[in-house]
Amino acid sequence: VRGLESPGMTFLRLNTLVIALCTFLVLGCAHGPPPEERTDDGLIPVPSRAAAGVYRHPDIEFTRYRRVSIEPLSIEFASGWRRQNPEVTEGGLKRMEAEARELLREELVEVLVVDGPYELAQTRDADVLHVVPRVIDLDIPAPEPSVQPGVKTYSPQPVRMQIIGELRDAATNTLVLRVIMYEGQERRSFHELRPANRVTNLHEMRTGFNRWARLVREALDVAKVQRPKE
């Protein structure tokens, strides 16, 4: 009957399919796993919280580090922020930057030294991690609110910023860890306005710096228990 294959033909077709599948698998194995994703400066991404990005050097033994040194925070305000806040004087700007630097250092020392296993160092020895923090896109709502008696300022958004920290081997300046966090991305509706003044702004910056410092501590704790790649 036309249209029907003999058992021999069916076996041949199945045999050909099996051979083709095996060939495909062998070729795939020959190529090996896909190359490991790395940043331009040689770091690999590691699992982290959704609000952060953590990148680590794959060949570094982190148990060697027992002390930390902290570079003063560098700050870049969000594009257009100065234009939108013409009331901020140069003196006021320097004050805000100095306060932010002090807050970040305090939180890092609290998390890594007071509560953590590290000592504070002033030298660039082999057991020292040098922390280089940056804040970009800093957006402080109502940085200079009204000082009229009885007048309060409100804002639908908190302080927003991106916090980036590079941790380097102090002796060699090798980049070993990078932790990035976005803070203050949530936005309230206009019927949920928050007070906006120097006190609330500083509180929100401190809260963000504390979260970031804890992410750095968590990333270091994880790195210590994972063996570097051969």
Side-chain angles (χ1 to χ4, degrees):
V1 179
R2 295 184 61 185
L4 295 180
E5 292 184 347
S6 67
M9 289 295 294
T10 302
F11 175 79
L12 181 60
R13 288 181 181 274
L14 289 174
N15 194 42
T16 302
L17 179 61
V18 170
I19 293 174
L21 180 60
C22 291
T23 302
F24 174 79
L25 292 175
V26 169
L27 290 176
C29 293
H31 287 292
E36 188 174 52
E37 180 184 356
R38 295 201 181 202
T39 63
D40 292 340
D41 40 24
L43 305 185
I44 60 172
V46 296
S48 64
R49 300 184 189 181
V54 177
Y55 303 85
R56 187 176 67 229
H57 197 299
D59 306 320
I60 295 294
E61 176 59 69
F62 279 80
T63 56
R64 77 175 73 170
Y65 300 116
R66 302 184 181 278
R67 296 184 292 163
V68 293
S69 59
I70 304 171
E71 189 166 305
L73 173 70
S74 65
I75 301 171
E76 296 178 22
F77 284 85
S79 176
W81 184 87
R82 292 298 307 276
R83 184 174 61 256
Q84 296 163 6
N85 297 276
E87 74 281 6
V88 179
T89 63
E90 286 299 318
L93 187 68
K94 291 180 180 179
R95 171 183 57 77
M96 285 186 283
E97 291 176 339
E99 289 172 340
R101 291 189 181 100
E102 182 179 1
L103 288 176
L104 180 62
R105 182 177 178 85
E106 287 177 357
E107 294 306 313
L108 274 173
V109 171
E110 182 72 22
V111 173
L112 297 181
V113 179
V114 177
D115 295 338
Y118 301 94
E119 296 179 7
L120 202 57
Q122 302 297 329
T123 58
R124 296 295 186 93
D125 299 321
D127 68 333
V128 177
L129 275 173
H130 185 57
V131 185
V132 184
R134 286 196 302 144
V135 163
I136 64 174
D137 296 329
L138 177 59
D139 186 358
I140 303 177
E144 298 291 347
S146 174
V147 294
Q148 299 179 25
V151 176
K152 296 183 179 180
T153 304
Y154 295 86
S155 171
Q157 74 173 53
V159 172
R160 294 187 296 182
M161 56 185 164
Q162 182 179 350
I163 311 171
I164 306 170
E166 291 187 346
L167 279 69
R168 294 180 173 272
D169 182 290
T172 64
N173 202 39
T174 301
L175 177 62
V176 300
L177 188 71
R178 178 182 294 118
V179 180
I180 303 171
M181 190 187 81
Y182 297 89
E183 176 66 17
Q185 298 304 303
E186 70 277 7
R187 179 184 290 270
R188 294 174 172 85
S189 62
F190 281 98
H191 64 276
E192 295 179 308
L193 297 176
R194 62 175 276 279
N197 53 57
R198 183 180 178 186
V199 174
T200 59
N201 290 336
L202 289 175
H203 172 73
E204 290 179 355
M205 279 196 288
R206 181 183 290 278
T207 299
F209 292 152
N210 180 268
R211 290 174 182 166
W212 177 78
R214 292 188 182 281
L215 284 172
V216 171
R217 168 72 186 277
E218 290 174 11
L220 288 171
D221 289 346
V222 171
K224 281 184 176 181
V225 300
Q226 292 187 348
R227 295 177 60 85
K229 298 193 175 180
E230 299 289 332

